[in-house]
Amino acid sequence: MKHRGTSTATPVALSTVDAVHRRDHTHATGQDCHPHAVEVIGLGHSAMVVCHDCGSDTAFMDLRRADLVAERHRRMTA
């Protein structure tokens, strides 16, 4: 995905937009994966979790917590 006018956009915003775009378009198969395809988007010391199957995402949180949330979601949907 190309971003135009990125001189004022922050890397955090670009990473977030790219992750949500992948969630909403790339993984659209019509069937959920089991376990769900969950992506942790690392943003320095913070991260967000994006699920490509149920379309959910989290607020920003500590990177370690995001890894735990992602793993728990994968286990719950296996």
Side-chain angles (χ1 to χ4, degrees):
M1 168 188 258
K2 282 192 168 186
H3 299 282
R4 297 176 190 236
T6 58
S7 61
T8 59
T10 66
V12 171
L14 292 176
S15 295
T16 303
V17 168
D18 285 344
V20 172
H21 180 78
R22 285 190 300 273
R23 177 198 69 197
D24 292 344
H25 297 286
T26 305
H27 194 72
T29 63
Q31 291 185 335
D32 288 350
C33 291
H34 296 283
H36 281 186
V38 181
E39 183 176 1
V40 176
I41 312 302
L43 308 166
H45 296 289
S46 297
M48 67 181 295
V49 180
V50 175
C51 179
H52 294 269
D53 287 298
C54 62
S56 64
D57 54 69
T58 66
F60 294 107
M61 61 183 70
D62 177 80
L63 181 59
R64 288 183 180 152
R65 182 168 177 235
D67 286 332
L68 293 172
V69 168
E71 185 55 35
R72 184 175 10 169
H73 190 72
R74 287 183 194 107
R75 279 195 313 262
M76 287 175 54
T77 59

